[in-house]
Structure formats: structure tokens, C-alpha cells
């Protein structure tokens, strides 16, 4: 998922009441929710496809990153206190509670990343297998909208209780500021629950889509797909983009739960190119790295005398004209 969604999840968890567990509680949740993406530091070293969504998203990172983040926050609190610059409004920093919040933030990251079609190596370094949830588009404005609204409303609640509404709390025998703060917690928690319900519905939709596409492919092709993707599309939760690996070719299509018939396969297919030029391209390091990450690799070969121009791509991004590159190779005789 994008870092806006990761941050909003961390902040919403904080506004739901978790930030009260310790000073720097919100920082632990919001930073922890983004911390696995520190693997972007590999990009300048040319290891984007082979390192991203791997080590920093796997079980070792789940243990190491929360401890590292907690250590930094506790140390910063002590440095500020030592120099007389610690804000008086900051609650006491409790290392144990802060570690738990950092862990929750860090774990929220791979949980969200698993949901899309880009993929995540969830068990690195113990397994290099890629996992794909195929349920939430990598940028989902509906999640942004619900969480941002929940956070905004939650933060407004305590400010209301600070002024003219205070008498209402006293009339009820309570404290208006406390009541409004609890109401704010409930609003943020409600936003998180609404997003969780939305995600659950999208996962259920993907599961149903896979069954429908399997049955449709059996009727249309006479064989079951070796692999398939019924992936989400931007903004429209009831639709799915389809990619079917039929062995020597790919079929593409779409699924619309509101249409009849729901499954529609595009005419024609995309053949899986093979041959000497493709084999020569596969020996290049940049191509090997791409294939390590790719899910539905596809090659296009343009012969040019003793050489060939090979376009390497992935069917997931073919429709958008992205995610491909060209290499010039010498064709062995």
C-alpha cells in the first residue's frame, strides 16, 4: 500500500486510544507503520526489485524494527529531559508500552501490503515465496477517506469539550473533556472497523471472483488456468482485472459483480514468447532481477539481424503501459 494509507492506519490506531499508553505513543504507531519501507534505501544501489518487500517486511524485521524504534524514541526523550527541552505536556515514556505500540505499527505494514497484487515476501529470509492478496488496489482513496475523516472527527472532539460544552459534562456528573475524548476514541475506532469490514468484503470478493473465473475458463478453454489474478481496480470495488496463465499463453479480461454475465474475457490472447533471443535476455542480471519479482512475465522479440530487441514486461502492468523495459541481445547461432 502507499505510505498515506500506512500513516493513516497508524494515526487512527493512536486516535482510537492507543497513543495514551505512553509518551511518544503516536510517533511509535505512525513511524512504525511506515518503517518496513526503509528498504527504499536499496534503490540507489540497484537492488530495488530484489530487496523491496522482503527482509524489512518479514519475521526478523517484525522483531528488530520495534526494538530499534523504541530505543530511538526512549533515547530522544531522555536527551530532551537532560537538556531541559522535554515538553511538559508529553506523558511519561513507558518503554514496555512503547515497544508494544511500535510492534503494532510495524505489523500493520505487511498486513496492508499483502492485500494488493504487487506482492510481498512475507516469510523472508526463511522463504523467498511471494504472497498476493489481490484484494485492495495499491492506492485506495476509499481507505484514505474513511480513516482521514475518522482521525479529523476524533481530534475535534476534545477541543469541543474544552470550552462551552463543559457544563454538559458537569450536569451529567462527569467530565466533558473526558467524555469527548472517549467519543473521539470511539470515532477513530469506528473508522478502523469500517475499513476492516471493507477489506474483509474485498477479500471475500476476490475469493468469489477466483471461483467464478475458474469455472468460466473451464467452459471457454476446456482447461483450468495454471495461475490467475483477479485483482482490484482503482475506485470501483465491485470490479476485478483478470489475468489467466493458460500454459503457453495468457488470457486477460474483467469481472463485474453487477453485470451479467459477470466474467468477460478479452478476444485473443498473449503468447509467451520463447526462443534464443529470450534465453539470451534471461542471462542478463537486470532481466533476472525483474523475473525474480515478476508474477506474469511476458517477452516481445523484435529481430534485428544478428541481434534482437527484447521487451521484458509483466502482464499486471501491460494495460497501463508500465513496468516494462527493453534490452538488446545478440542471438546465438
Amino acid at each position: 500500500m502507499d505510505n498515506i494509507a500506512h500513516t493513516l492506519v497508524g494515526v487512527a490506531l493512536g486516535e482510537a486510544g492507543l497513543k495514551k499508553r505512553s509518551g511518544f505513543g503516536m510517533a511509535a504507531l505512525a513511524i512504525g507503520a511506515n518503517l518496513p519501507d526503509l528498504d527504499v534505501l536499496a534503490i540507489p544501489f540497484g537492488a530495488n526489485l530484489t530487496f523491496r518487500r522482503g527482509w524489512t517486511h518479514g519475521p526478523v524485521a517484525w522483531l528488530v524494527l520495534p526494538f530499534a524504534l523504541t530505543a530511538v524514541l526512549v533515547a530522544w526523550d531522555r536527551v530532551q529531559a537532560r537538556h531541559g527541552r522535554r515538553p511538559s505536556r508529553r506523558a511519561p515514556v513507558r518503554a514496555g508500552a512503547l515497544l508494544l505500540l511500535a510492534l503494532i505499527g510495524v505489523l500493520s505494514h505487511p498486513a496492508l501490503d499483502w492485500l494488493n497484487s504487487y506482492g510481498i515476501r512475507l516469510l523472508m529470509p526463511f522463504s523467498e515465496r511471494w504472497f498476493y492478496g489481490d484484494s485492495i488496489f495499491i492506492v485506495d482513496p476509499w481507505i484514505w477517506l474513511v480513516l482521514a475523516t475518522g482521525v479529523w472527527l476524533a481530534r475535534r472532539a476534545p477541543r469541543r469539550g474544552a470550552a462551552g460544552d463543559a457544563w454538559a459534562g458537569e450536569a451529567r456528573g462527569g467530565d466533558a473533556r473526558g467524555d469527548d475524548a472517549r467519543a473521539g476514541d470511539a470515532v477513530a475506532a469506528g473508522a478502523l472497523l469500517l475499513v476492516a469490514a471493507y477489506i474483509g468484503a474485498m477479500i471475500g470478493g476476490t475469493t468469489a471472483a477466483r471461483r467464478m473465473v475458474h469455472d468460466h475458463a473451464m467452459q471457454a478453454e476446456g482447461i483450468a488456468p495454471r495461475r490467475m489474478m483477479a485483482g482490484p481496480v482503482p475506485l470501483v470495488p465491485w470490479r476485478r482485472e483478470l489475468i489467466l496463465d493458460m500454459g503457453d499463453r495468457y488470457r486477460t479480461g474483467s469481472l463485474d459483480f453487477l453485470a451479467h454475465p459477470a466474467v468477460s474475457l478479452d478476444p485473443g490472447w498473449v503468447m509467451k514468447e520463447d526462443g534464443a533471443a529470450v534465453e539470451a535476455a534471461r542471462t542478463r542480471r537486470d532481466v533476472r532481477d525483474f523475473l525474480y519479482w515478476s508474477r506474469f512475465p511476458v517477452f516481445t522479440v523484435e529481430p534485428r539481424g544478428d541481434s534482437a530487441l527484447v521487451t521484458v514486461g509483466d502482464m499486471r502492468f501491460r494495460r497501463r503501459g508500465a513496468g516494462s523495459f527493453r534490452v538488446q541481445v545478440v542471438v546465438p547461432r
Side-chain angles (χ1 to χ4, degrees):
M1 297 292 290
D2 64 281
N3 291 101
I4 294 177
H6 287 304
T7 302
L8 283 172
V9 167
V11 172
L13 287 168
E15 294 295 343
L18 292 183
K19 68 179 181 181
K20 302 172 185 176
R21 303 293 179 179
S22 170
F24 276 143
M26 181 65 84
L29 288 162
I31 297 174
N34 287 279
L35 202 53
D37 274 345
L38 60 82
D39 56 9
V40 298
L41 298 175
I43 294 178
F45 300 97
N48 183 29
L49 295 177
T50 55
F51 193 72
R52 290 297 309 276
R53 292 202 174 193
W55 279 80
T56 62
H57 290 63
V60 173
W62 304 345
L63 299 176
V64 173
L65 293 180
F67 277 99
L69 178 57
T70 300
V72 170
L73 293 176
V74 170
W76 181 244
D77 183 69
R78 291 178 179 176
V79 167
Q80 286 187 312
R82 189 179 306 122
H83 291 84
R85 297 179 179 177
R86 187 185 191 278
S88 59
R89 292 182 300 175
R90 182 185 300 154
V93 173
R94 301 179 176 88
L98 200 61
L99 176 61
L100 178 59
L101 296 180
L103 176 63
I104 292 172
V106 168
L107 290 179
S108 72
H109 190 106
L112 287 177
D113 277 358
W114 167 77
L115 292 170
N116 56 57
S117 302
Y118 188 92
I120 179 174
R121 288 168 290 169
L122 199 57
L123 301 179
M124 280 287 286
F126 307 108
S127 170
E128 296 187 6
R129 177 187 172 188
W130 288 86
F131 292 83
Y132 309 94
D134 290 344
S135 299
I136 302 295
F137 195 71
I138 196 167
V139 176
D140 193 315
W142 300 119
I143 292 179
W144 292 0
L145 177 63
V146 172
L147 292 180
T149 302
V151 167
W152 180 71
L153 291 174
R155 289 188 171 181
R156 280 177 56 86
R159 288 200 293 271
R160 288 199 305 270
D165 291 340
W167 63 271
E170 294 174 357
R172 294 192 300 269
D175 176 74
R177 183 184 294 271
D179 290 343
D180 277 348
R182 285 190 290 273
D185 295 351
V187 169
L192 286 166
L193 288 175
L194 187 58
V195 166
Y198 169 70
I199 290 173
M202 292 295 284
I203 292 174
T206 296
T207 302
R210 287 171 176 165
R211 290 196 298 266
M212 295 167 66
V213 173
H214 177 276
D215 294 343
H216 187 91
M218 286 293 295
Q219 295 178 0
E221 295 278 343
I223 57 173
R226 291 185 178 181
R227 296 175 301 130
M228 76 170 74
M229 183 193 84
V233 300
L235 294 172
V236 190
W238 56 88
R239 292 181 183 172
R240 294 292 187 274
E241 177 185 9
L242 307 179
I243 301 174
L244 285 67
D245 182 351
M246 305 305 298
D248 61 343
R249 63 194 185 280
Y250 294 115
R251 292 293 304 268
T252 60
S254 60
L255 180 146
D256 188 332
F257 286 108
L258 303 183
H260 184 77
V263 180
S264 175
L265 294 181
D266 298 330
W269 52 80
V270 177
M271 296 299 298
K272 294 182 180 180
E273 289 274 5
D274 204 352
V278 171
E279 291 304 314
R282 287 178 181 271
T283 64
R284 293 172 53 104
R285 179 180 175 179
D286 53 351
V287 176
R288 291 200 307 270
D289 289 350
F290 182 87
L291 295 177
Y292 174 74
W293 163 83
S294 179
R295 185 177 178 184
F296 299 101
V298 59
F299 298 88
T300 302
V301 179
E302 301 176 32
R304 296 190 174 183
D306 292 337
S307 66
L309 187 63
V310 181
T311 302
V312 187
D314 189 290
M315 291 294 295
R316 289 175 293 178
F317 308 102
R318 186 181 178 94
R319 286 183 175 179
R320 303 182 188 99
S324 64
F325 63 100
R326 291 183 172 186
V327 296
Q328 186 87 24
V329 297
V330 176
V331 181
R333 295 185 178 276

